[in-house]
Amino acid sequence: MSDSPAIVHEADHHEHPAYLRHHFESVEQQADTTNFAMWLFLLTEVMFFGGLFTAYLIYRNWYYQAFVAGSHQLSILWGTLNTGVLISSSFTMAMGVWCAETRRRQGLVLSLVITFVLGLVFLGIKSIEYSEKIEKHHVPGFHYSLQSFLDPDSDEAAKAAGDKPLPLDVARHTEVYFSLYFAMTGMHALHMIIGIAILGYMIFRAQAGAYTTGHVTFVENFGLYWHFVDIIWIFLFPLLYLISRHA
Amino acid sequence: MSEHKEPEHQDEHEHHIVSPMVYLTIVVILLIGTGLTVGASYLELGIFNPIVALAIAVIKATLVVLFFMHVKYSTKLTKLTVGAGIFTFITLVSMTLADYISRAWGKW
Amino acid sequence: MSSTIVSLPDQSTARIPKVNYLTKENGLLSWLLTGDHKRIAILYLISITFFFFIGGALAGLIRLELLTPQADLMATDTYNKVFTMHGVIMIFFFLVPSVPATLGNFLIPLMIGAKDLALPKINLLSWYLYLAGGTLALYTMMTGGVDTGWTFTTPLSTHYLNTNVLTTGLAVFIAGFSSIFTGLNFIVTIHKMRCPGMTWFRLPLFVWAHYAASILMVLGTPVLAIAIVLVALERTIGIGVFDPTKGGDPLLFQHLFWFYSHPAVYIMILPGMGVISETISTFSRKRVFGYTAVAFSSVAIAVFGFFVWAHHMFIMGISNYAMLVFSLLTMLVAVPSAIKIFNWTFTLYKGSITFETPMLYSFGFMGLFTIGGLTGVFLGTSGTDIHLTETYFIVAHFHFVMVGGMLMAFLAGIHFWWPKMTGRMYPEKISQLAAVVTFIGFNFTFFPQFILGTLGMPRRYAAYPPEFQILNVFSTAGASILGVGYLLPVIYLVWSLKYGEIAGSNPWQATGLEWQIQSPPLTENFVVTPIMDHEAYDYDWLEKKKEKEVVTSVG
């Protein structure tokens, strides 16, 4: 039993790669630590979106009819397609992590590129959807228009869904629906943009072989972020698009 | 006792590599789930519509967390961390709703 | 009281070690781009002191206005801005980062035997985010301020004001991320970077306290962030989530805001409690009574702290059922805090107590925090809260816990670890005087406010009925004494940097890894990785070690 904490023992440097930071004892500790840090960061994201989900839950229950009418304005086609795109990009990202772990440089680059492209496709579809909303004056604020809800026959989406005209006070609550739609999908899209930007950086580094020599933590941790953004969408899709599609 | 601090658990990232077949299986299930949830929204299930939709979403999310994010193969600490996040989120939602539900009993 | 545990090296031969974290590198960039947690802690110390005095000046303005019943020193709108900025700056730019970002940053790696925090670059980023938020807050002040109260209550903040709500909101948002990253760093560090032998239950209670506070920072702050984002969207494009005319509910903002802001008060107090555990133990020469209870109570405070937020909203329109639930849960959250007070008291019992400055502040903490905490129970009881809320009783309550509690703990910590951070002792007599002056000034300032509150004086009012004047004058007089009490440490601590006695590695004869290395520490903290082989607060181990006299300083 020693009395002093300052026992002199040899610091054995069995491996000391360039990427091992000096305050870590080993590569395992560094990888473990950064992985845990990324999970904690994702927790903050859960709580951040959590506030929006809370607001959604409350207002959907208060204004169910308005939410149904609002959600009929969204295109099932685009929404489902986007969901498929994002899920597939999660698959390609997971494959990318596998390639990094098994030191397949070209495989990694390919996976990252496909993930990148799928991300862009998602954003492209989103911008198509957003521009539709803007055209129809469904963006909350000064130019918000109630016409699609007061007179559904004048609006093809509402007509196709078989909507009945809403009373004025109910129609006005569709603005709350769209507020949440834009806040939630907008925040999600912002996270996608950041993710795609980082992906772009990663593709260059992957091409240079930075992630296929045993140091995979960056790819792994980014993968966690990407999957998280996918999970948010997995919830957004049914909550916003699929409130009630039955007659 | 002259060794470096060992991580308190097995490091899984180097030693357990999830196979692409697992990923493929999961992504197929997720896509099927997406189709299911779209289909279910066209059915008249009354109170069960939102329940079914959320249940499918939760299952999908769980699969992503367990397999794509490797939590199934991760340490207890990682699992605890995920649990803590879910717990806090549920606290936020349920206790806020406790106020809203009880404001006008019966009109909710 | 001439007994003291201070044990300094022979002043005629003692020198500050030539190589230490302060001297290792020179030049502005070596500070501005540092990854060294100790340098970052010093950077934070300077910044938060700066913001403290700005918040303090605003407090001075408030007290000056309240000398007279009329709103004669400033217009009521201006008064609103003054108390808002006082609150915003004191809470977000002083109290929340105070102990964690300064003492926590400095000490946690030392206490666990690590070379640095897990993520040094994130640590530096935290500081820059803090500065960015602080600069924005200052900019807000210079361009007309904001007058919503630090609570940004909707719909006032979203629809009825033209002041700088957005910029202040952005400042707080950015500062929030500073806090999140600090907390994230601490959690990761405490889990993953402990030296061999440093099990969880050998950690100093200071570390446990910071761990609990960090959980709150990571899980709570993002909800504040989204609340601010929603207010910003409401103000700019009018989305309608908080607007009754569009079907929104203003109370939703308060739910989201207080979901963070209640845990925030525990973010503020827990690190201070961690300091008190260390000082009480050292100055009673006794291990903390009920270590496990104190450790678990820190975590319990963190967990329960998430369940009680609507006790800030009892009169705002929540349902009676919610009032009941939150009031009951609030009673629960008082228990772990009380457990700590009991345990510290039992630590003192039969200890060898000495009255150095950190101990004076610690005694002040114990008394004032207890009073503040007890009045919190009155406020948590919904029946009494209806009458006391939005009065000066609330103001007195939170100043007792935050200023009488937290700020005293912060000063206790600064004094206690000053020798470790700088290598020098502060002058004992004047510091003891400052502690006593602070205590007296504090009580004169804030105790009358309890009475004012029960008599019915509302908070956030520049004008009040004349019968309240005498108590207000008392309070302002106390505030001037308090101001002196806070100015003194700045003066003598800066003085001590050049003229203070050389402290040596362990002037307090304290246990804890940070005291077994030189003062100031080396940049890499430890020459060799320590191996922890004794329990926390093991004074027997310390005795045996002194007999062996292992020299550990360099230079």
Side-chain angles (χ1 to χ4, degrees), chain C residues 323-393:
Chain C
M323 267 177 93
L324 186 70
V325 167
F326 280 101
S327 181
L328 279 173
L329 290 169
T330 307
M331 298 299 125
L332 198 60
V333 82
V335 172
S337 301
I339 288 178
K340 286 177 182 287
I341 295 278
F342 281 129
N343 278 302
W344 290 323
T345 311
F346 289 134
T347 309
L348 291 169
Y349 179 64
K350 291 203 175 162
S352 310
I353 300 175
T354 50
F355 294 90
E356 288 82 345
T357 306
M359 192 56 155
L360 290 181
Y361 280 116
S362 305
F363 276 125
F365 175 96
M366 286 180 66
L368 299 175
F369 176 77
T370 304
I371 296 176
L374 282 174
T375 55
V377 177
F378 305 156
L379 293 167
T381 315
S382 48
T384 43
D385 185 72
I386 294 173
H387 302 281
L388 296 173
T389 194
E390 300 304 308
T391 67
Y392 261 83
F393 196 90

Side-chain angles (χ1 to χ4, degrees), chain C residues 24 28 58 100 110 179 237 251 256 415 427 433-434 459 478 490 536:
Chain C
K24 187 69 187 275
L28 191 60
L58 291 165
L110 293 176
S179 179
I237 59 176
L251 218 53
L256 296 176
H415 285 78
L433 175 70
R459 65 184 287 204
V490 179

Side-chain angles (χ1 to χ4, degrees), chain C residues 246-497:
Chain C
K246 293 188 178 168
D249 182 16
L251 218 53
L252 178 61
F253 169 81
Q254 289 192 40
H255 275 293
L256 296 176
F257 178 83
W258 287 111
F259 185 84
Y260 163 74
S261 299
H262 184 78
V265 316
Y266 299 120
I267 292 175
M268 295 188 260
I269 198 69
L270 275 168
M273 290 171 157
V275 171
I276 299 299
S277 289
E278 302 300 317
T279 53
I280 296 265
S281 168
T282 304
F283 296 100
S284 331
R285 312 304 300 158
K286 215 167 145 248
R287 54 165 41 97
V288 176
F289 182 90
Y291 173 100
T292 318
V294 179
F296 280 139
S297 69
S298 300
V299 180
I301 290 175
V303 175
F304 295 159
F306 271 120
F307 303 146
V308 299
W309 77 86
H311 65 225
H312 299 268
M313 298 162 60
F314 282 150
I315 59 164
M316 295 297 177
I318 61 175
S319 68
N320 287 339
Y321 170 74
M323 267 177 93
L324 186 70
V325 167
F326 280 101
S327 181
L328 279 173
L329 290 169
T330 307
M331 298 299 125
L332 198 60
V333 82
V335 172
S337 301
I339 288 178
K340 286 177 182 287
I341 295 278
F342 281 129
N343 278 302
W344 290 323
T345 311
F346 289 134
T347 309
L348 291 169
Y349 179 64
K350 291 203 175 162
S352 310
I353 300 175
T354 50
F355 294 90
E356 288 82 345
T357 306
M359 192 56 155
L360 290 181
Y361 280 116
S362 305
F363 276 125
F365 175 96
M366 286 180 66
L368 299 175
F369 176 77
T370 304
I371 296 176
L374 282 174
T375 55
V377 177
F378 305 156
L379 293 167
T381 315
S382 48
T384 43
D385 185 72
I386 294 173
H387 302 281
L388 296 173
T389 194
E390 300 304 308
T391 67
Y392 261 83
F393 196 90
I394 296 250
V395 177
H397 158 71
F398 63 69
H399 283 94
F400 261 78
V401 283
M402 286 299 136
V403 182
M406 183 55 212
L407 182 49
M408 288 217 147
F410 175 70
L411 288 169
I414 292 293
H415 285 78
F416 186 57
W417 281 291
W418 188 257
K420 179 56 56 182
M421 295 194 289
T422 61
R424 297 217 179 244
M425 288 298 284
Y426 54 83
E428 186 65 33
K429 288 283 170 266
I430 188 171
S431 61
Q432 286 173 319
L433 175 70
V436 172
V437 167
T438 307
F439 184 80
I440 294 174
F442 175 86
N443 278 297
F444 264 109
T445 311
F446 292 107
F447 201 85
Q449 295 185 7
F450 276 129
I451 305 175
L452 282 169
T454 41
L455 289 175
M457 177 175 169
R459 65 184 287 204
R460 295 177 166 169
Y461 274 50
Y464 54 80
E467 59 260 32
F468 295 142
Q469 180 172 23
I470 185 136
L471 286 169
N472 271 297
V473 171
F474 252 121
S475 181
T476 304
S480 43
I481 301 173
L482 195 58
V484 170
Y486 291 139
L487 274 172
L488 282 174
V490 179
I491 299 172
Y492 63 69
L493 286 177
V494 172
W495 175 91
S496 79
L497 289 175

Side-chain angles (χ1 to χ4, degrees), chain A residues 5, chain B residues 1 5 8, chain C residues 108-114 190-191 193-204 207-208 291 512-514 526 530-536:
Chain B
M1 282 241 282
K5 170 181 159 46
E8 39 196 36
Chain C
I108 288 178
L110 293 176
M111 287 180 168
I112 66 174
I190 296 170
H191 269 278
M193 314 270 293
R194 285 168 287 128
C195 65
M198 182 61 82
T199 61
W200 280 90
F201 291 101
R202 286 180 177 169
L203 287 170
V207 180
W208 274 99
Y291 173 100
L513 285 179
E514 77 270 26
F526 301 97
I531 295 186
M532 187 66 171
D533 53 7
H534 56 274
E535 302 306 309

Side-chain angles (χ1 to χ4, degrees), chain B residues 3-106:
Chain B
E3 21 183 271
H4 286 300
K5 170 181 159 46
E6 291 299 326
E8 39 196 36
H9 49 268
Q10 266 293 14
D11 57 286
E12 66 296 329
H13 302 283
E14 255 71 78
H15 294 169
H16 187 121
I17 297 181
V18 181
S19 107
M21 281 317 293
V22 173
Y23 293 145
L24 196 57
T25 319
I26 297 296
V27 75
V28 167
I29 299 178
L30 290 174
L31 290 171
I32 293 176
T34 308
L36 276 178
T37 198
V38 172
S41 73
Y42 282 97
L43 300 174
E44 170 66 63
L45 299 170
I47 187 74
F48 284 103
N49 270 110
I51 296 179
V52 165
L54 268 179
I56 296 179
V58 166
I59 293 172
K60 286 160 90 180
T62 310
L63 290 175
V64 174
V65 166
L66 286 179
F67 294 99
F68 283 167
M69 296 172 91
H70 296 177
V71 170
K72 183 167 193 295
Y73 313 100
S74 284
T75 60
K76 274 206 298 248
L77 179 62
T78 306
K79 293 178 173 125
L80 192 65
T81 308
V82 175
I86 296 175
F87 175 74
T88 316
F89 169 70
I90 294 197
T91 304
L92 170 63
V93 168
S94 58
M95 292 186 74
T96 309
L97 283 184
D99 172 29
Y100 284 91
I101 291 183
S102 55
R103 276 191 202 171
W105 290 107

Side-chain angles (χ1 to χ4, degrees), chain A residues 2-3 5 7 9 21 23-25 29 32-33 36 40 44 47-48 52 55 58-59 63 140-141 175-176 179, chain C residues 117-118 120-121 187-188 192-193 218-219 222 225-226 237 239 241 246-249 252 528-531 533 541 548:
Chain A
S2 49
D3 307 317
I7 293 178
H9 66 261
R21 298 260 181 272
H23 55 287
F24 289 114
E25 299 285 326
Q29 189 188 28
D32 215 18
T33 304
F36 185 41
L40 286 174
T44 68
M47 295 315 295
F48 188 68
L52 289 173
I58 292 165
Y59 291 130
Y63 306 133
E175 195 170 3
V176 178
S179 302
Chain C
L117 288 178
K121 294 206 179 82
I187 296 177
V188 180
K192 300 290 185 188
M193 314 270 293
V218 166
L219 290 173
I226 193 68
I237 59 176
I239 53 170
V241 284
K246 293 188 178 168
D249 182 16
L252 178 61
V528 290
T529 308
I531 295 186
D533 53 7
W541 168 86
K548 301 209 163 189

